[in-house]
Amino acid sequence: MRLVLLGPPGAGKGTQAAYIVEKFNIPHISTGDIFRKNVKEGTELGKKAKAYMDKGELVPDEVVVAIVEDRLKEDDCKEGFLLDGFPRTVTQAENLDIVLDKMNVAINKVININVNKDVLVERASGRRVCRNCGATYHIVFKPTKAENICDICGGEVYQRSDDAEATVSKRIEVYIQETQPLIKYYENKGSLVTINGEQDMDHVRKDIISALGE
Ligand code: AP5
Ligand code: MG
Ligand code: ZN
């Protein structure tokens, strides 16, 4: 199972990724999570990425591609993987194809989660994330049982700095310019399935699982 999750910021990629990787027992590779971990640890990569992330812009292609290429070579990716938030530009997609060709494998399905802009802003601005384990919540749609405390690990739950409304709007603009063209790219390859992401989380999950033929 080699999968890509495509969709605008706040569409529910991370939320659905958690279900998919559990069901298929494959690693979850989120470039956003990799950058946030590096920001938290204060690495050189983290310092570089933070400047772009805070503005809602994309980290340069060559930086992202090199990270994903290294990650895909790790042993746990042999039987499959789920890419979340990568590729995000046509250049990234072309480079991914080159990397996978060298490995003699290919993407099975690209799951495109479709959600309109007003819903995206509501989702992103209400999102809360666990600082410790990365679990994702929403103040209305998926609240924590105890206020600001992660249900899973007891860690502190916080708001991502790029979830401020102005930054979310910028991220949506960048998505339309840079990432939306990938829908055509993967449609042409015959691997795209589009899912209605405006349903509740369980229905989105069921549609994805059935699109994967399970
Ligand atoms: P990244 O972390 O990838 O962010 P994103 O693509 O903007 O997507 P999000 O994580 O914001 O949304 P999501 O779709 O995962 O939604 P979620 O499940 O959390 O990237 C961040 C930054 O890193 C980028 O801006 C860029 O700077 C950099 N970057 C990363 N990858 C890069 C790349 N490849 N190239 C260049 N730069 C890169 O859900 C959102 C909220 O909605 C949650 O609160 C959730 O609980 C709720 N929710 C989810 N589903 C539902 C539902 N069905 N009903 C109701 N609520 C729901
Ligand atoms: Mg995410
Ligand atoms: Zn947690």
Side-chain angles (χ1 to χ4, degrees):
M1 224 16 133
R2 296 181 181 85
L3 306 171
V4 168
L5 267 178
L6 196 63
K13 300 184 296 296
T15 300
Q16 297 301 327
Y19 301 130
I20 298 168
V21 298
E22 202 194 341
K23 179 163 175 71
F24 296 105
N25 195 24
I26 49 178
H28 176 198
I29 304 174
S30 156
T31 42
D33 287 351
I34 293 171
F35 290 138
R36 277 184 290 278
K37 182 166 183 276
N38 277 274
V39 170
K40 187 173 150 191
E41 290 168 357
T43 67
E44 278 312 306
L45 172 65
K47 284 176 200 155
K48 192 167 183 187
K50 190 175 189 312
Y52 296 97
M53 294 168 84
D54 283 348
K55 283 188 279 186
E57 291 170 3
L58 294 182
V59 176
D61 286 337
E62 61 276 14
V63 175
V64 193
V65 169
I67 289 168
V68 173
E69 179 165 16
D70 283 348
R71 181 66 187 87
L72 290 177
K73 284 177 181 156
E74 284 179 37
D75 270 355
D76 64 340
C77 293
K78 283 213 167 73
E79 302 303 320
F81 50 79
L82 173 69
L83 289 168
D84 161 5
F86 180 94
R88 235 179 170 94
T89 64
V90 171
T91 305
Q92 290 180 17
E94 289 168 350
N95 278 284
L96 175 62
D97 286 344
I98 294 169
V99 169
L100 295 177
D101 269 352
K102 277 192 263 176
M103 296 168 72
N104 264 316
V105 296
I107 296 295
N108 304 109
K109 280 255 177 333
V110 175
I111 302 154
N112 175 35
I113 304 182
N114 189 32
V115 176
N116 283 314
K117 186 173 174 174
D118 45 333
V119 179
L120 295 175
V121 175
E122 186 187 24
R123 285 192 185 170
S125 53
R127 170 168 46 196
R128 299 292 183 272
V129 183
C130 174
R131 225 180 257 290
N132 180 47
C133 76
T136 300
Y137 300 93
H138 189 282
I139 52 171
V140 176
F141 305 121
K142 194 183 177 185
T144 52
K145 292 196 181 90
E147 202 174 333
N148 294 330
I149 296 172
C150 176
D151 293 355
I152 298 166
C153 77
E156 184 207 354
V157 169
Y158 80 110
Q159 182 169 29
R160 262 168 55 176
S161 59
D162 61 346
D163 278 344
E165 203 166 319
T167 318
V168 173
S169 296
K170 171 71 183 168
R171 285 160 56 205
I172 295 171
E173 252 174 64
V174 170
Y175 166 82
I176 293 168
Q177 288 288 326
E178 305 278 346
T179 311
Q180 206 153 263
L182 290 180
I183 294 175
K184 263 261 126 18
Y185 183 91
Y186 285 115
E187 228 165 40
N188 291 340
K189 284 179 177 288
S191 48
L192 191 88
V193 284
T194 294
I195 303 289
N196 172 9
E198 294 195 2
Q199 311 170 88
D200 63 41
M201 294 172 203
D202 276 351
H203 281 96
V204 177
R205 176 172 52 91
K206 282 179 190 143
D207 282 0
I208 291 175
I209 301 295
S210 75
L212 294 176
E214 293 286 319

